[in-house]
Amino acid sequence: MTQIFRLYRDAYAGLSPATWWLSLVMLVNRSGTMVIPFMTLYMTTKLGYSIAQAGWVMALFGAGAVCGGLIGGKLIDRLGFHFIQIATLFGGGILFIILGQMKSYPMICLFAFILSLINDMFRPANSAAIAHYSKEANRTRSFSLNRLAINLGWAMGGALGGFIASKDYELLFWIDGFTNMSAALLLYFALSPSRTKAVAPKPAGIKPLNIQSAYKDKPYMVFIVMTILFAFSFFQLFTTLPVYYRQELHLTESFIGLTMALNGILIASLEMVLIHKLEGRRHILQYIMIGVLMIAVSFMMFNVFPGAEWLALASMLFMTFGEMFAMPFMNTYWVTRTVTENRGQYAGLFTVAWSIAQVLGPGTGAQIADRFGFEVLWWLIGGILVVSAFGYKWLERKN
C-alpha cells in the first residue's frame, strides 16, 4: 500500500500551482455542461421542433466550434491567453442564458452558432495557458490533469443535467451560464498575470521551429490531418458504439451505462500514474501511434471475436488504454513545435481538428452503419485508425 500511495503521490507531484488552478477552472466550467448534451431533447420535446431541425442546430454548434478555434488561435497570439479565457468564459455564460430565452427557430440557430464560436475560443486559450505554466518534464501530466478535470466535470454535469432536465429544461441554460461566469471569476482572481509567471516560457524537447505561422509548418499540418482521422473514428465511442451494443450485442441499458462509465473511471484513476511512468522515456509520437493502434483493435475485434458482455468490456479496455496512450501526448506534440509568439495558432488548429471530426464523425458513422451495417463500419474505422497510426509513425521519422 505504501508503494501504491507513493506512486500516486509522485504522479501528481511537481505540477505548478497555476496548472492546478487551470484544472479547477476547467472542472467548474465543465461541471455546468448541460445544454449541449440535452439540446436535441430540449428542441424536440419542449419546443416541438423536428429531429432534422434539431440536427441542423447541432451542426451549427459544430460549425461555430471550427470558427471559434481558428479565430481564437489568431487572437491568443495578439491579445494573450488570459484575456481570451476570461472574455470567452464570461461571454459564453451570457450567451447560454440568452439562448435559453430564444424560441423561434432562426434565432436559436443564430445564437447556437455565436455561442459555440465564443465558447470554443476558450479551448485553445486554455491549452496555451497550460503550456505556458508547465515544464517540459511534466507537460504531458499537466495536460492529463486538465483532461481529468474535463472528465469529472462532464460526469457531474451530465448526471445533474438529466435530473434538472426532467424538472425544467430552461434551468439548464441558467446553470450552464452561471458556471461559465463563475469559472471566469475564479480565473480572474486566481491567475492574474501580475501574480503568476511562466514556468518554462521556451519549451525544450523537440526543437521549436522559428516560423511565423503554424500553417507553414508542413509536418504539423500532416499531424492535424492525422488527428482529424483519429478523432473522426474516436467519436464513434459516444454515438454509434452504444447503438451497436444495444442492437447487435443485445446488452441492457444498465450494462451499456456501466461499460461506458468504465472508460471514465479508468482514466480518472490510472491516466496520471501511467503518464508519470511513460513521460520522457520514448518519443511522444511512438506513444501516440501505440494508442491509436490499440483503439483500432478495440473496434475491429467486434468483427473477429464472438461474445457480448465480455467482448464489450474487452473492447472498452483496449479503447481506454489506447486513449490514455494517445491523447495526452497529442497535446505535448503541438506544444513542442511552438514558440511563444505562435502558440495560439497551433492550439487553434488542434482545436479545429477535433471540431471538424465532431461535426463529421457521428453523422457519417451512423449513415454507414444504417446503409451497410456495423461490420463494414468497424472495418472502415479500424482501417482509418491504422492509416492515422502510420501517419504518426511517418512524422516520428521526420522529427
Side-chain angles (χ1 to χ4, degrees), residues 136 138-145 275 279 284 328-329 332:
E136 187 269 339
N138 61 26
R139 181 156 293 127
T140 307
R141 283 193 294 134
S142 298
F143 278 107
S144 290
L145 184 66
I275 297 303
E279 196 168 22
I284 54 179
F329 289 102
T332 305

Side-chain angles (χ1 to χ4, degrees), residues 312-329:
L313 291 173
S315 172
M316 187 57 69
L317 284 174
F318 270 89
M319 174 80 69
T320 303
F321 276 93
E323 179 182 349
M324 289 191 287
F325 267 87
M327 291 173 64
F329 289 102

